[in-house]
Amino acid sequence: MATVDTTFTRRKILRDELIGLYGVVERNLYLTKRYFLWDVAFLLWTIANTLTIVFISRGVDLSPAARNELATKLLVGGVIWAFLGIIFEIVTETVAWERWEGTIEYTFMAPVSRPVHLIGMGIYAVIYGLVRAAAIFVAVVAFIGIHLPHANYGAAVALLAIASISFIGVGMMTAVLPLISPEKGTQLGFVAQGLMLVVSGVYYPVSVLPHWMQWIAKISPATYALRGNRNQILHGAGIAWADVWPLLVIGTLSIPIGLVVFRAGERYAKKHGKLKRSG
Amino acid sequence: MFTSAVSVRDLSKVFSRRKGLFQRRRRAALSNVSFDMGRGECVAILGQNGSGKSTLVRLLSTLLLPDGGSAHIFGHDVFKEPRKVRRLVNRVSVEASFFKKMSAAENLAYAARFYGMGPRETHAKIPVILERVGFPSARRNESMENLSRGMQQKVALARALLTSPVLLLLDEPTTGLDPRSKQEVQTFIREIREAHDSTILLCTHDMKEAEDLADRIGLLDRGELLFLEPVEDVKERYGVGTLEEAFFAATGRTYEDERTEDDEEREVFA
């Protein structure tokens, strides 16, 4: 009788984890392909939503230059709101969609590690979110006729990518919520998104917020993404270290905290029998 | 060298649900269950709905944490070394469970990636394994939602086999299938036993299926494992001619008896 190989070399484990990461991204590509028209419809809704915000600038009595600046600030807020929304939605779907399809037990009993699984979801969310944010940006600029002669798009995308590390970390914390509450957990992810943006100056400067909220704004990654992106789009600024280092610090902390929170939630779900399709 | 493929000792699991604001109701899904399985052996666990079969499978699949006892699979502690155990185990459950908009081939590829199989490997293996389970090759790129329940269950078998598990957990794999599909799945389980070196734990409430497929049969009743023996030994022990009669002799109830409120709650809680 042949012996069963139950040894696992470090090299094989690493290789398997990378293939697992690829598998998560690949699966999301398949699903995007299958739900493409639904995604286009959702994109149109987000563009309409962003337009309702940016049109506010057209109703304000300002000089044309000041109006253009206000429209750009609102546009950056709207685009980042949409970008963050997609990241939270996709990372939260790590659990919610699998439960809805009934595949959750198969995925969670597979040997891929949870960090790789969640980071795979995060990577796809960032790629998809960036493409979508670019589409919203271009559509609104073309529709309203905003002039952006100095915009530094490369720096804007790079800063958003850096900020995404923190967004994924926070997304991991909210991804655990559908494990604990299958019915309401996903909605709580949107609550986290809204709370993060309200303190980060999404459509207004942080300085207008009450003092205690300004303190919270300092630990929100969206604050630095919004500030940096506005400077890059309006004034053609590069990637400012003043925006990058807080994002790196928050990102370095939020990913491990996100994983710890998710692991605790998974343990709770295993203890209470919630890791199954019907919750 | 492993003394046994599966070794379960005093495994217990209690579920609780909130009742009112301050109270919780507790129901034991498994109570001190112990058994061993030899390598290459097929063991069937019989039991009614809510008897604890699925809880046992979910514990061995690392999807639940126990309240007591231990379980080892090929020497690895299921609850302390879950990732090592996951590489050795796969399962087929009563629900086929797939991404419905994705095709059979895409679903299989997704599952295989989590077991370290790259695109080149799955490209070669998926058509072969689908053919082996009797799935028409021409339909492998169709959405799962367009496939019948029997077809979906064949893809579920293919998914489990694709990862070459040394322990296959089958949790009511034929429940809800039409007679022909049921027969095909059972034939395939026999083939797996002959062609592979897999150890199989089959949980079912179908006594005939258990008798036809398994080397030994266990009876799980209200979370307790009443016996686990070759079918002839069971019949001899109770002096009966059928498993139905053995169930009656062991529990004092018929297999089709109406269940109590406690039984219903045990099923819902688990």
Side-chain angles (χ1 to χ4, degrees), chain A residues 51-106:
Chain A
L51 279 171
T52 62
I53 302 293
V54 180
F55 264 123
I56 291 170
S57 65
R58 292 292 180 260
V60 182
D61 189 19
L62 291 170
S63 68
R67 197 183 291 166
N68 192 65
E69 183 173 329
L70 178 60
T72 308
K73 285 180 176 172
L74 293 173
L75 172 61
V76 170
V79 168
I80 290 190
W81 182 289
F83 179 67
L84 201 57
I86 280 295
I87 288 187
F88 275 42
E89 187 182 314
I90 292 179
V91 178
T92 304
E93 277 170 3
T94 306
V95 169
W97 199 331
E98 297 260 10
R99 192 193 289 278
W100 174 56
E101 292 277 24
T103 53
I104 188 164
E105 295 193 3
Y106 292 90

Side-chain angles (χ1 to χ4, degrees), chain A residues 3 18-19 52 58 90 97 119 144 151 153 184 232 237 249-250 259 266:
Chain A
T3 56
L18 287 174
I19 292 174
T52 62
R58 292 292 180 260
I90 292 179
W97 199 331
I119 288 168
I144 295 197
Y153 297 112
K184 296 291 178 190
Q232 289 155 345
V249 171
I250 298 167
L259 288 171
E266 189 175 339

Side-chain angles (χ1 to χ4, degrees), chain A residues 2 17 34 98 105 271, chain B residues 13 39 83 91 106 110:
Chain A
E17 293 289 352
R34 303 284 180 179
E98 297 260 10
E105 295 193 3
K271 194 77 191 156
Chain B
K13 182 69 196 170
R39 186 173 166 192
R83 285 185 63 200
R91 70 184 276 205
E106 287 168 345
Y110 173 53

Side-chain angles (χ1 to χ4, degrees), chain B residues 55-191:
Chain B
T55 299
L56 176 62
V57 167
R58 290 170 67 214
L59 279 162
L60 294 177
S61 306
T62 75
L63 292 168
L64 280 176
L65 291 172
D67 291 305
S70 64
H72 288 80
I73 291 176
F74 286 93
H76 294 291
D77 189 316
V78 174
F79 310 112
K80 290 182 182 154
E81 305 172 275
R83 285 185 63 200
K84 288 182 177 173
V85 167
R86 287 170 187 161
R87 286 176 190 277
L88 305 172
V89 177
N90 214 324
R91 70 184 276 205
V92 178
S93 60
V94 62
E95 299 110 355
S97 307
F98 290 103
F99 285 89
K100 292 163 203 72
K101 293 280 180 198
M102 281 164 46
S103 69
E106 287 168 345
N107 270 289
L108 291 182
Y110 173 53
R113 301 283 180 265
F114 280 0
Y115 290 79
M117 294 171 71
R120 199 179 298 167
E121 199 176 350
T122 49
H123 189 73
K125 277 191 175 175
I126 287 172
V128 175
I129 205 126
L130 282 174
E131 197 183 318
R132 274 196 58 209
V133 297
F135 184 90
S137 178
R139 301 190 69 184
R140 70 171 183 260
N141 293 318
E142 261 183 54
S143 291
M144 291 299 294
E145 63 187 355
N146 294 337
L147 303 177
S148 68
R149 173 93 171 74
M151 282 291 175
Q152 289 190 15
Q153 202 65 340
K154 286 180 181 177
V155 182
L157 275 170
R159 173 173 56 192
L161 287 177
L162 191 59
T163 62
S164 305
V166 286
L167 174 65
L168 191 56
L169 303 169
L170 303 175
D171 186 9
E172 306 204 19
T174 60
T175 299
L177 295 185
D178 61 73
R180 190 181 154 194
S181 299
K182 189 171 179 170
Q183 191 66 45
E184 285 175 346
V185 170
Q186 288 173 350
T187 304
F188 191 67
I189 293 169
R190 279 190 203 92
E191 278 179 34

Side-chain angles (χ1 to χ4, degrees), chain A residues 201-215:
Chain A
V202 61
Y203 298 122
Y204 37 79
V206 172
S207 57
V208 305
L209 296 171
H211 214 63
W212 63 271
M213 286 175 86
Q214 291 185 38
W215 274 101

